[in-house]
Amino acid sequence: MPVDIVDLRSFYRSPLGDIARRFIVRVVRSRFSNCTGYSILGVGYATPYLGVFRDEAVRVLAFMPSEQGVVNWPSSGHSASALVEVTRMPLPDSSIDRVIVVHALEISEHPHDLLSEIWRILTPGGRVIVVTPNRSGLWARLDSTPFGHGQPYSLGQLRDLMREALFSPTQWAEALYVPPFRSRTLLHSAAAVEAIGAYFSLPGAGVLIVEATKQLYRPVGVRKAARQVAPQFQPALAPEAIGASCSSERDRFEP
């Protein structure tokens, strides 16, 4: 079930939400380090992660799922957010250079269609970053944060889903090693916990972050057609020559 837009906005205004934003945007920014002259699209509730690109990108848009709700973004100036059907976005083919997907894939009823639509609007060689809850992480097991809703993914599940949608995963990362608790002591030590978890690649991170590029070809085996061997039917009646049939009938009745 999608998280309501009010709950998403409240979470990111809280101390725990600010910590989640800082740790995830650090990874996102390291992958999309220079977006000068690019068009960037955020899908889901990606506005907490889009602000760092506004000063360098040509345009930054935020598309939010119709079942989730929408908020005006940015808070000043012309609005760049819209309520859309994310599997049918109002954009032409090959019109976006970079896409950031947050709080979208795990709540989508049709994740493959969502990724296929992102593939359509990406420019040739365009790149996408997808952030999803980690199935083995603590954040996915508690519904006190938005990362505890929807369908969490394992590394293998996310990789297969991306490849089926004709994306080539190029970089993998994890974030949110800090537990999703609102203890003041834990929040103060969150940076140290995150640094230790990332340095040792500890299991149980809260989110998986994958970067992928748009493939321009369809690899063999992406879609396996179901081929069935046609059964070998035997004719119900075996044809015979007319002369032979008459001769046999005559022979049978002659004394």
Side-chain angles (χ1 to χ4, degrees):
M1 180 179 180
V3 186
D4 187 83
I5 194 69
V6 175
D7 296 330
L8 286 164
R9 184 168 53 180
S10 298
F11 170 74
Y12 280 103
R13 287 178 175 176
S14 69
L16 183 60
D18 183 63
I19 286 175
R21 181 195 61 80
R22 287 193 288 113
F23 293 159
I24 294 175
V25 81
R26 182 186 305 168
V27 179
V28 172
R29 188 56 169 164
S30 68
R31 302 312 313 161
F32 290 173
S33 58
N34 184 7
C35 293
T36 303
Y38 288 159
S39 297
I40 300 178
L41 172 66
V43 178
Y45 190 74
T47 54
Y49 309 95
L50 296 177
V52 295
F53 302 103
R54 292 187 61 201
D55 293 335
E56 60 188 42
V58 172
R59 65 184 58 86
V60 182
L61 304 174
F63 283 179
M64 304 182 188
S66 55
E67 60 269 23
Q68 170 184 284
V70 66
V71 293
N72 183 55
W73 182 88
S75 57
S76 60
H78 297 292
S79 178
S81 61
L83 189 70
V84 303
E85 173 56 57
V86 292
T87 58
R88 293 193 298 270
M89 299 186 203
L91 290 172
D93 296 353
S94 303
S95 58
I96 298 295
D97 301 295
R98 300 288 185 267
V99 177
I100 301 172
V101 183
V102 188
H103 301 301
L105 192 67
E106 67 271 18
I107 64 171
S108 175
E109 295 183 0
H110 306 286
H112 185 276
D113 293 343
L114 170 59
L115 291 177
S116 296
E117 181 69 357
I118 292 173
W119 187 95
R120 181 187 68 82
I121 65 174
L122 270 176
T123 56
R127 292 153 62 187
V128 58
I129 287 181
V130 178
V131 181
T132 65
N134 183 4
R135 192 178 67 177
S136 62
L138 185 59
W139 286 72
R141 305 185 186 192
L142 301 176
D143 59 3
S144 56
T145 77
F147 296 102
H149 296 259
Q151 172 64 49
Y153 286 88
S154 67
L155 188 63
Q157 290 173 331
L158 188 56
R159 180 184 59 246
D160 293 343
L161 185 62
M162 298 293 289
R163 288 177 175 174
E164 288 174 2
L166 302 183
F167 283 102
S168 295
T170 57
Q171 296 288 336
W172 297 89
E174 296 178 330
L176 301 188
Y177 292 94
V178 59
F181 303 136
R182 303 178 188 271
S183 166
R184 181 174 300 179
T185 301
L186 184 60
L187 293 177
H188 286 167
S189 60
V193 174
E194 190 74 7
I196 294 172
Y199 182 80
F200 291 102
S201 298
L202 298 178
V207 296
L208 300 174
I209 305 174
V210 56
E211 179 190 2
T213 58
K214 174 179 178 177
Q215 293 181 5
L216 300 182
Y217 59 91
R218 184 178 299 276
V220 176
V222 169
R223 292 186 177 180
K224 298 180 179 178
R227 297 183 178 179
Q228 297 181 353
V229 178
Q232 299 295 324
F233 295 105
Q234 297 296 331
L237 298 175
E240 295 183 358
I242 296 178
S245 177
C246 293
S247 298
S248 60
E249 289 294 327
R250 184 174 58 253
D251 294 343
R252 188 173 58 178
F253 289 101
E254 285 181 356

